[in-house]
Amino acid sequence: MTSPTDQRREGALVLFSGGQDSATCLAWALERFHRVETIGFDYGQRHRVELTCRDTLRDGMAQLNPLWAARLGPDHCLPLATLGAVSDTALTREVDIAFASDGLPNTFVPGRNLVFLTFAAAVAYRRGLKHLVGGMCETDYSGYPDCRDDTIKAMQVALSLGLDRRLVVDTPLMWLDKAATWRMGEALGGLPLVELILEASHSCYQGDRSKRHPWGYGCGECPACELRAKGFWQYRDTAYVAETT
Ligand code: ZN
């Protein structure tokens, strides 16, 4: 078994979209591993603005903590237009977000995380990084089957076998709700990190950064905005209770 001290000598590649979850995962990895690189994917998503948030978040985290700055390595951004071309969803087409008869929202891009993890594993292999870190979460994602813990564990096994090299897929948010994710951010980097993630991360499916709410930018109406707002207010309420008791 790898001890925490050994693990700190290992490297990690963070699946970094520029959203709240992956930003928190980047801070988690910077605190844990001695070398951390990031990877993002451009698959023609409507909320491509999230990709432009990535540099701001990376620079901001490096400024927050000199140790994080020393550990933060290069960013990789891969064009995956083919994924957008084969998926007819509300994330890649100008259609309203709705729920299909199988209960899944039409924001579901089939196999998206399977594709992302496979490309990330190829880059990690080449860069000598043992860990992949992703913000997949079973608790309050919209039921996407490729975010489930079983799926991720199966991918870890398949990728390790297929590359003939031990690869670990870390999902620190898997069992957290959004309020707990904000709390994790605060524990990792204090209120300055919470402020950075609020200001610079992007969650809105509509790609709207024209409206600033207390919980960040977004249209305020799409499922991603609703989830982000709900989690933020829950986090703020519990923080307020903790301060006053
Ligand atoms: Zn929105």
Side-chain angles (χ1 to χ4, degrees):
M1 207 177 141
T2 311
S3 75
T5 315
D6 291 337
Q7 203 179 48
R8 284 181 196 280
R9 285 196 286 270
E10 295 170 349
L13 180 64
V14 179
L15 281 78
F16 184 52
S17 69
Q20 178 198 344
D21 291 343
S22 67
T24 308
C25 283
L26 177 55
W28 181 88
L30 287 167
E31 190 65 24
R32 195 172 217 89
F33 300 106
H34 85 296
R35 186 158 63 96
V36 177
E37 301 185 10
T38 52
I39 186 167
F41 303 98
D42 183 354
Y43 56 100
Q45 58 268 51
R46 282 164 69 183
H47 53 304
R48 291 176 81 252
V49 65
E50 70 179 7
L51 295 174
T52 63
C53 298
R54 301 168 74 250
D55 285 342
T56 313
L57 284 163
R58 280 173 47 94
D59 293 346
M61 283 190 213
Q63 283 168 20
L64 281 182
N65 184 326
L67 182 64
W68 292 2
R71 291 174 168 178
L72 184 59
D75 179 46
H76 312 268
C77 192
L78 267 55
L80 282 184
T82 312
L83 180 64
V86 299
S87 64
D88 182 19
T89 82
L91 283 194
T92 50
R93 300 272 187 278
E94 288 289 331
V95 294
D96 288 338
I97 295 168
F99 286 83
S101 55
D102 60 4
L104 279 173
N106 63 353
T107 49
F108 174 56
V109 180
R112 179 173 52 164
N113 280 317
L114 309 183
V115 174
F116 287 178
L117 284 168
T118 304
F119 274 94
V123 172
Y125 183 95
R126 182 165 53 81
R127 303 288 300 165
L129 303 166
K130 181 177 173 181
H131 292 256
L132 298 181
V133 182
M136 299 82 171
C137 167
E138 195 166 306
T139 310
D140 63 2
Y141 254 75
S142 310
Y144 296 166
D146 59 343
C147 288
R148 292 179 190 147
D149 195 43
D150 282 353
T151 306
I152 303 303
K153 287 196 163 71
M155 283 300 284
Q156 174 177 291
V157 173
L159 293 168
S160 293
L161 288 172
L163 296 170
D164 199 20
R165 187 184 290 180
R166 174 76 173 146
L167 194 81
V168 181
V169 184
D170 297 293
T171 53
L173 312 182
M174 182 57 76
W175 307 110
L176 302 184
D177 62 17
K178 282 277 183 278
T181 300
W182 284 115
R183 282 196 292 276
M184 178 188 276
E186 187 179 335
L188 287 164
L191 291 179
L193 180 63
V194 172
E195 283 299 319
L196 174 67
I197 295 174
L198 268 178
E199 187 63 29
S201 75
H202 183 85
S203 303
C204 175
Y205 283 153
Q206 310 279 6
D208 187 343
R209 288 190 73 75
S210 66
K211 303 180 198 75
R212 175 64 156 89
H213 311 267
W215 43 265
Y217 292 92
C219 72
E221 289 163 10
C222 76
C225 280
E226 282 180 11
L227 200 58
R228 179 164 167 147
K230 180 168 157 254
F232 178 74
W233 291 121
Q234 281 176 349
Y235 157 68
R236 281 288 299 268
D237 287 349
T238 49
Y240 180 76
V241 169
E243 280 168 15
T244 54
T245 53

